[in-house]
Amino acid sequence: MPRQTPERTATLRRYLMCRPTHFTVDYAINPWMDPTQPTDTALALRQWERLHRTYRGLGHTVELIEPVPGLPDMVYAANGATVLGGRALVASFRYPERAPESDAYQAWFRAHGYREVHRAAHVNEGEGDHLVVGGRVLAGTGFRTSRAAHAETARLLGAPVVTLTLVDPRFYHLDTALAVLADDHVMYHPEAFDADSRRVLRTLFPDAILADRADAEVFGLNAVSDGRRVLLPESAKHLAGRLAEHGYEPVPVDVSELLKGGGGAKCCTLELRP
Ligand code: ARG
């Protein structure tokens, strides 16, 4: 617990989201997905609508991208791109099931006035593996985004990139293992990273909130912070308490149906950084 609870400041954000109109689990590309288990698209839609309303209620702006039939994972908009300094680096997906999403995201950025829209040449799953903190980009690899993509991200987005290697297949994207809370503060699950990456994280963020396995397994780290208010799954009760101790306002959301695809609140949210 910090000696004195720091004062946290919210800044209003612009997000891109995709309604789960076509959500289902009919293939498995991560350990959470089980195509033999039924999914409830109507419930996914209700949970997503509530998430969308929550952002708007907090004062954030939410843009929408039209869902494409046959692309059930498109609801996880975080994977579509990484946006920084008005530049959009559109994803190149690891698995063919998601590959067509790239065209849809590229078209959205072009239609919405982005002058610099790049398409990643290497496997790059957008904000699933690229988290901006302060001026730098923390970039995950190990399961999805390739290591070679990190250099490309640094070049095309013009920001220093810190490579972090994920080692637990359940935490296959960086945003399932680490959440950015403020410009100089994060929370993460150390066991999701290899020893080198843990060392890097300890050096960069000595006062990070460390999440235990139970917090991580309910996707507590798939959280969205505006600097003060932190949206996280309502099942992550312990983590919510830790956040409050550190001066944040936890905002619980129920995304249980979307967890069947292996994604939570953050996965559904791509930040359009100015
Ligand atoms: N089913 C999707 C996949 O495996 C889930 C993506 C979750 N997104 C995220 N940003 N972690 O690709």
Side-chain angles (χ1 to χ4, degrees):
M1 217 208 284
R3 264 169 296 223
Q4 224 192 330
T5 312
E7 192 53 47
R8 305 289 176 186
T9 317
T11 51
L12 294 185
R13 313 287 169 126
R14 217 172 132 229
Y15 297 127
L16 177 61
M17 296 179 74
C18 180
R19 203 169 252 112
T21 314
H22 309 292
F23 175 73
T24 181
V25 174
D26 56 13
Y27 52 80
I29 56 173
N30 69 56
W32 305 94
M33 299 175 86
D34 179 356
T36 66
Q37 289 301 311
T39 46
D40 182 340
T41 307
L43 177 59
L45 272 161
R46 284 199 298 280
Q47 293 178 345
W48 181 95
E49 295 290 353
R50 210 170 306 132
L51 177 65
H52 178 242
R53 258 201 317 276
T54 302
Y55 285 133
R56 299 185 41 133
L58 293 173
H60 303 305
T61 304
V62 184
E63 308 280 351
L64 296 176
I65 180 168
E66 197 57 40
V68 177
L71 297 178
D73 273 340
M74 204 174 154
V75 59
Y76 304 113
N79 299 125
T82 310
V83 182
L84 185 60
R87 301 176 189 172
L89 176 53
V90 175
S92 277
F93 288 87
R94 161 98 31 208
Y95 296 109
E97 289 89 340
R98 297 196 67 182
E101 293 182 36
S102 298
D103 282 346
Y105 281 94
Q106 184 157 338
W108 190 90
F109 285 105
R110 289 213 192 284
H112 288 78
Y114 283 78
R115 291 233 199 92
E116 269 198 64
V117 182
H118 302 282
R119 182 83 160 243
H122 298 280
V123 173
N124 173 328
E125 297 208 348
E127 273 207 341
D129 275 322
H130 292 87
L131 296 174
V132 178
V133 54
R136 50 165 89 88
V137 182
L138 304 180
T141 188
F143 297 101
R144 299 292 181 89
T145 298
S146 73
R147 205 171 235 285
H150 295 180
E152 185 184 28
T153 298
R155 184 165 50 81
L156 294 176
L157 294 183
V161 170
V162 178
T163 290
L164 298 170
T165 304
L166 297 161
V167 293
D168 183 332
R170 291 170 312 157
F171 308 117
Y172 57 95
H173 273 143
L174 182 62
D175 71 358
T176 65
L178 184 147
V180 175
L181 297 170
D183 274 351
D184 56 356
H185 200 212
V186 303
M187 58 178 177
Y188 64 95
H189 178 50
E191 284 95 280
F193 296 92
D194 74 359
D196 279 346
S197 306
R198 264 182 260 170
R199 218 167 298 128
V200 169
L201 286 169
R202 271 201 304 272
T203 310
L204 287 177
F205 308 105
D207 63 344
I209 298 177
L210 301 183
D212 62 23
R213 193 206 300 210
D215 289 329
E217 278 175 349
V218 294
F219 266 60
L221 294 163
N222 200 247
V224 181
S225 171
D226 65 10
R228 179 180 175 88
R229 286 89 50 102
V230 183
L231 274 75
L232 81 173
E234 54 189 16
S235 47
K237 293 218 165 44
H238 172 247
L239 196 54
R242 305 282 320 277
L243 285 164
E245 288 167 11
H246 284 257
Y248 298 100
E249 243 175 74
V251 181
V253 287
D254 179 9
V255 284
S256 56
E257 199 56 26
L258 294 158
L259 289 178
K260 293 182 181 170
K266 170 66 193 104
C267 298
C268 295
T269 313
L270 173 62
E271 186 165 347
L272 302 170
R273 293 164 191 287

